[in-house]
Amino acid sequence: PQYFDKYHPFLNTVTQLGIDVFSIRYSWSRENSWLLSVNQATKNINDALNFVHWGKGISIFDNTEILFNYDKIFLLWFSFWGLPTIFSNHFPDVQKVLCCPFVNYPIHIDWWGENLSITFDFLLKWYNNLYTFEKEWIIKELQTINYDSSDKKSQYILISGKYDTVIPTNEIERFLQNYSIKDKHNLEIGHSINLPQTLLFEIFQN
């Protein structure tokens, strides 16, 4: 999980294309009562998509109404958030883009992906002001997910890293076999969302 703010280098690229960027405020952030889970993350993503489709909102800074139009919505997620993305609702006007995604817990474990128990311990220790969750509970959830209920109607754009030591190649290959792929890019990168500007232009301008 990445803390995404206005200073992230990704924003410097997409704003050059005149794209409006919406970053979700998840319901398990410290000031809320929910715990981190795939199910709750999926609900947050669906709520955000419904909000964008609505086309307007209220600024909490000055309580003014904000209106926005769109031709297409890109749902771009990185790493762990690939899993709730594939379980989020299918919309014909939403292009799902996955970057170095975690998408299958059993395969992730069987092929020596990043040890999530250690990752969760790290988050609890160093990011306890951002995330609230119970490690044992979320690992149990990951072990019991029904992958057959995921979104297999959407066509995905998949970005993977040749030097990614977090997501096993077998996890990516299984995803390619089981889901409809519009385009795929295997880049000479590690586990990162800092993508080449030319690739982002290609994705968002098509």
Side-chain angles (χ1 to χ4, degrees):
Q2 296 280 316
Y3 180 66
F4 190 80
D5 62 20
K6 64 181 180 180
Y7 301 107
H8 197 286
F10 169 78
L11 286 181
N12 292 329
T13 297
V14 296
T15 51
Q16 293 181 43
L17 295 172
I19 293 176
D20 293 322
V21 179
F22 297 84
S23 181
I24 294 176
R25 185 63 171 174
Y26 286 106
S27 54
W28 56 79
S29 54
R30 177 56 65 181
E31 67 269 23
N32 296 318
S33 58
W34 291 95
L35 295 177
L36 184 152
S37 71
V38 173
N39 182 63
Q40 192 60 35
T42 302
K43 181 181 183 302
N44 290 155
I45 291 173
N46 287 334
D47 288 344
L49 290 173
N50 289 332
F51 169 73
V52 175
H53 279 125
W54 194 32
K56 62 181 179 179
I58 301 295
S59 169
I60 61 175
F61 178 73
D62 57 8
N63 203 38
T64 58
E65 186 176 58
I66 299 174
L67 303 176
F68 43 88
N69 298 313
Y70 64 88
D71 295 320
K72 192 168 187 179
I73 300 171
F74 291 88
L75 181 61
L76 187 150
W77 291 113
F78 168 67
S79 194
F80 181 84
W81 308 117
L83 193 53
T85 299
I86 68 174
F87 281 93
S88 64
N89 292 340
H90 166 74
F91 292 98
D93 61 347
V94 174
Q95 175 62 67
K96 295 184 177 183
V97 184
L98 301 178
C99 179
C100 301
F102 168 77
V103 287
N104 191 300
Y105 181 78
I107 296 176
H108 187 86
I109 296 302
D110 288 346
W111 291 93
W112 308 288
E114 180 184 53
N115 188 318
L116 292 181
S117 179
I118 295 176
T119 300
F120 290 144
D121 285 339
F122 172 82
L123 290 176
L124 286 171
K125 181 176 181 179
W126 297 107
Y127 291 89
N128 62 356
N129 62 324
L130 294 179
Y131 303 100
T132 55
F133 64 92
E134 295 178 1
K135 182 179 74 172
E136 292 75 16
W137 190 90
I138 192 170
I139 288 179
K140 182 178 180 180
E141 181 192 31
L142 292 172
Q143 292 170 336
T144 57
I145 284 176
N146 177 17
Y147 289 91
D148 289 335
S149 64
S150 58
D151 173 21
K152 296 188 177 180
K153 295 180 180 179
S154 295
Q155 284 194 315
Y156 294 83
I157 295 176
L158 180 65
I159 303 167
S160 57
K162 294 181 180 179
Y163 310 117
D164 191 343
T165 59
V166 174
I167 306 299
T169 302
N170 299 72
E171 189 173 356
I172 297 297
E173 290 178 347
R174 181 63 64 88
F175 184 82
L176 291 171
Q177 294 170 4
N178 292 340
Y179 294 82
S180 177
I181 307 298
K182 178 180 179 180
D183 202 1
K184 61 179 179 178
H185 305 271
N186 189 24
L187 307 180
E188 293 190 2
I189 60 173
H191 193 69
S192 175
I193 198 173
N194 293 328
L195 304 174
Q197 187 180 70
T198 53
L199 176 59
L200 291 173
F201 282 8
E202 175 185 337
I203 291 174
F204 293 130
Q205 288 181 324
N206 285 338

